[in-house]
Amino acid sequence: AQTVTQSQPEMSVQEAETVTLSCTYDTSESDYYLFWYKQPPSRQMILVIRQEAYKQQNATENRFSVNFQKAAKSFSLKISDSQLGDAAMYFCAYRSSGAGGTSYGKLTFGQGTILTVHP
Amino acid sequence: DAGVTQSPTHLIKTRGQQVTLRCSPISGHKSVSWYQQVLGQGPQFIFQYYEKEERGRGNFPDRFSARQFPNYSSELNVNALLLGDSALYLCASSFAIQNSPLHFGNGTRLTVT
């Protein structure tokens, strides 16, 4: 079974600064997807960024980028020019590609990291 | 277009009771998944339905059941409620069963007393 670990329960950053959230995972599969989700107090889980394991290039979405290290099974999220609206709980998540016979799109989440942004 | 809608928003039940949570997916989405999020933890997968059939089940007891209707909406039922069932229940929809982005609703907060 796959596991996802986020070792930082809480992180804080000054507005306009850069912060990196860590995530490691364990899997025996070679093809899969990794995600970062943001959950603000409104409770809705919002997709921040997605990475396909077969792509060597790190995904980037505006101020959000990832450092994907497949051999090390590491998937960190970097938030540049942090804004007050970035404050939320961030979850790292894993999903099988289905190539190994998995018939559904189950997401396996980490424990989450609470990000505080100071003005 | 409306996003994923869940009802009710909040619910308070007593131990031993039964509860039904409802989810309407985004129009055109055929897959609905349910997750349980205990306070301070990441969501845990409960079920996935696609085209009205159960396509995946997480490690939850038989007290948990679900179904998907012809219009692709879904219900999650929990029988014989325990205090430990208190959680945020999230519904997510996607167009296909695999390799489609999941879109989450705002969840139903269930409190069992």
Side-chain angles (χ1 to χ4, degrees):
Chain A
Q2 296 82 22
T3 59
V4 177
T5 302
Q6 294 178 249
S7 59
Q8 305 156 315
E10 298 183 29
M11 292 285 285
S12 64
V13 63
Q14 291 292 132
E15 198 175 5
E17 297 293 309
T18 296
V19 65
T20 298
L21 307 184
S22 300
C23 172
T24 58
Y25 59 95
D26 190 27
T27 183
S28 59
E29 298 178 328
S30 59
D31 198 15
Y32 47 87
Y33 299 91
L34 295 166
F35 306 85
W36 279 97
Y37 280 89
K38 167 185 176 181
Q39 188 178 40
S42 68
R43 308 183 320 199
Q44 185 178 22
M45 201 72 73
I46 301 166
L47 178 63
V48 174
I49 199 165
R50 154 185 163 140
Q51 174 80 42
E52 289 91 346
Y54 65 86
K55 290 186 178 179
Q56 293 189 349
Q57 186 173 7
N58 290 323
T60 300
E61 289 286 344
N62 300 314
R63 299 182 294 107
F64 299 86
S65 61
V66 299
N67 184 4
F68 173 48
Q69 301 290 327
K70 190 173 184 179
K73 296 181 181 175
S74 170
F75 183 61
S76 61
L77 174 70
K78 185 171 80 172
I79 306 174
S80 303
D81 185 25
S82 296
Q83 300 175 0
L84 295 177
D86 294 333
M89 176 80 93
Y90 285 81
F91 291 98
C92 178
Y94 172 103
R95 190 165 90 180
S96 172
S97 69
T102 304
S103 61
Y104 53 87
K106 166 189 172 183
L107 278 174
T108 300
F109 286 88
Q111 306 92 318
T113 298
I114 299 173
L115 177 65
T116 302
V117 181
H118 298 289
Chain B
D1 284 340
V4 177
T5 57
Q6 293 187 243
S7 62
T9 304
H10 295 90
L11 203 52
I12 299 175
K13 289 286 189 178
T14 303
R15 276 179 298 175
Q17 287 188 316
Q18 175 264 342
V19 68
T20 298
L21 311 181
R22 294 176 176 81
C23 173
S24 293
I26 290 172
S27 178
H29 284 193
K30 300 180 179 180
S31 177
V32 169
S33 300
W34 288 94
Y35 289 81
Q36 180 197 64
Q37 186 178 14
V38 174
L39 190 63
Q41 298 183 19
Q44 297 289 318
F45 173 76
I46 309 175
F47 286 110
Q48 182 178 23
Y49 276 77
Y50 179 71
E51 289 283 13
K52 302 177 287 295
E53 291 187 2
E54 181 183 306
R55 299 301 296 270
R57 183 185 184 114
N59 188 24
F60 280 81
D62 292 343
R63 299 184 296 107
F64 289 77
S65 63
R67 55 180 175 170
Q68 187 177 31
F69 299 98
N71 66 353
Y72 301 110
S73 67
S74 177
E75 288 182 351
L76 175 69
N77 296 286
V78 186
N79 293 322
L81 285 167
L82 304 174
L83 295 179
D85 295 331
S86 295
L88 178 68
Y89 288 85
L90 294 167
C91 175
S93 75
S94 60
F95 177 74
I97 191 172
Q98 273 282 27
N99 305 330
S100 293
L102 286 181
H103 299 262
F104 284 85
N106 287 351
T108 294
R109 172 73 65 191
L110 172 65
T111 301
V112 182
T113 61

